[in-house]
Amino acid sequence: MRLLAFFCWSSLTVSLFAQPSSIDGTYELTERVMANGTVLRPPSVVALYTMADGRFSLNLFVKNADGTIASESSVGRYTFDADNYCEWIVYTIRNNLDKPGLTNEAPAVTDHCTPVTSKNGRFNFSPPGEGVEVSFGAEGFTARIGVEFVDHWRKIR
C-alpha cells in the first residue's frame, strides 16, 4: 500500500511541476502594455498566432496613434525542444510595422536557431531576427520588444 501511495504521490508531484512539452496552440493577443503604461486592447491591437506540428501562422493588426494601421501576416516552419527553437519564415507581408510602407522581406537572420531556457514552468527564448523575447507557459505567453512594449497572449486552443 505504501508503495502504491508513493507512486501516486510521485506522479502527482511530477505533473504539478512539469513544464509544457510543447508550445503548439492557438494564441490570441489580449493586450499590449506600452512603456509609458498605456494598455492597448482590441480593437486597437488584434492578433492571432497558431503553432501546430512545426508550422505557424501569425496575423497582427495595430492601430497607430495617427490612425494608420500597422500589420503583419506571416507563415513559416519551426522546431522546438527544451534546448532550441528554430524558425524559418516562408512568407511574410508587413505594412508600416518596422518601417514605413509595405514589404514582404523577412528579417535577416544568420542562424535560424536560438537557445531555450526553462524557469518556473516557462520556456524563454528570442525567435531569430525578430528582436522579441518570449516566455511560454501553460496559459499562454508574453512577448517583449525591448522597453517599447509587452504583448500578452492567451492560449485559446
Side-chain angles (χ1 to χ4, degrees):
M1 184 67 157
R2 268 191 195 164
L3 188 58
L4 178 60
F6 173 76
F7 283 124
C8 290
W9 180 81
S10 296
S11 296
L12 178 62
T13 302
V14 168
S15 65
L16 287 174
F17 294 101
Q19 296 175 339
S21 59
S22 171
I23 57 175
D24 282 7
T26 298
Y27 303 88
E28 177 180 41
L29 182 59
T30 59
E31 66 181 21
R32 173 171 283 182
V33 181
M34 305 303 290
N36 67 4
T38 301
V39 178
L40 303 176
R41 292 188 177 91
S44 295
V45 60
V46 179
L48 198 61
Y49 190 25
T50 299
M51 305 176 78
D53 301 321
R55 303 283 189 259
F56 72 84
S57 174
L58 168 68
N59 289 291
L60 167 74
F61 300 91
V62 180
K63 189 178 213 177
N64 294 323
D66 65 2
T68 62
I69 300 292
S71 63
E72 174 183 357
S73 183
S74 296
V75 294
R77 298 179 296 115
Y78 72 95
T79 61
F80 172 81
D81 62 38
D83 298 317
N84 287 294
Y85 173 83
C86 304
E87 177 180 285
W88 298 266
I89 294 175
V90 174
Y91 184 80
T92 188
I93 187 161
R94 297 164 188 235
N95 185 38
N96 298 322
L97 198 62
D98 303 323
K99 56 186 176 185
L102 191 64
T103 183
N104 64 353
E105 294 178 24
V109 296
T110 55
D111 187 350
H112 288 274
C113 297
T114 189
V116 172
T117 60
S118 302
K119 184 175 183 183
N120 298 327
R122 302 188 69 79
F123 289 114
N124 306 292
F125 57 93
S126 294
E130 298 290 341
V132 62
E133 298 172 20
V134 296
S135 180
F136 279 83
E139 79 297 341
F141 72 96
T142 59
R144 177 182 306 276
I145 300 234
V147 295
E148 295 176 50
F149 60 82
V150 177
D151 283 347
H152 296 266
W153 296 78
R154 179 175 54 98
K155 189 171 188 175
I156 60 174
R157 191 168 348 150

